Amino acid sequence: MQTQILTLNVGKPVTFRSDGEQSAIAKSPVDSPLFLARTGFAGDQVADTVHHGGSDKALHHYPYDHYDYWRGRLPGHALLKEPGAFGENISTTGIVESEARIGDRFQLGEALIEISHGRQPCWKLDHRFGVKGKDSVMTDIVRTGKCGFYHRVLEEGMVAPDSKMELIERGNAEWTVERVFMLLIGGQVRDDPAALRALRDMELLATVWRARAAKILDHRIPAKAGIQSGKE
């Protein structure tokens, strides 16, 4: 995989809708190096630290490769003119969910990062894009698996917008981000309890998705497509 960084993006919480709800989903590209800490880029924040942020969600990475698809779905939408529409910290070409694996490690500038899980969509995506119903971005992400993914930071360091993102170690080929997302979020687990057990016990998978696998096994949550209710 030849992965090219297009932009690094950061943002802070701002009022998102008329009831005062806040979000940091609107992120802006930077033109100078940033320090990447265990919890993310310096200067980047989240509005709700219960549902977002933390070591397993240090960096949100969304493939710019999908933007042509979304432009076809939402023709002329202003947000899709440039990277950052999905609240991503890293916009790249050259790696998508069907190729990326849980546990893939990358050298990113001075930092070392690792894919921890896919991004479960929440209602704020639809609100940000101003869509609902048949045009729902959330629903389409669950259907297509064009979810993006999160990285944890194994080694901190400086990252510049022109830094290279070099794959240095591959995760298990069985567990692509797409497959894990479609199993746990897309509702494809009904006939695959062995996969659920494997995901429950997978140390490289983010804690929250291991817990989701365990809850589905215990029938504490339904084995159907899921959209996140939390906040950015």
Side-chain angles (χ1 to χ4, degrees), residues 5 15 21 83 92 120-121 136 140 176 202:
I5 297 173
T15 300
E21 184 80 44
T92 66
Q120 185 177 352
S136 171
D140 215 14
T176 64
M202 187 187 302

Side-chain angles (χ1 to χ4, degrees), residues 4 22 58 90 97 137 139 161 200 210 216 228:
Q4 179 181 355
Q22 291 205 324
I90 308 176
E97 295 83 355
V137 171
T139 301
R200 178 196 61 192
R210 293 179 65 186
I216 295 172
Q228 186 170 317

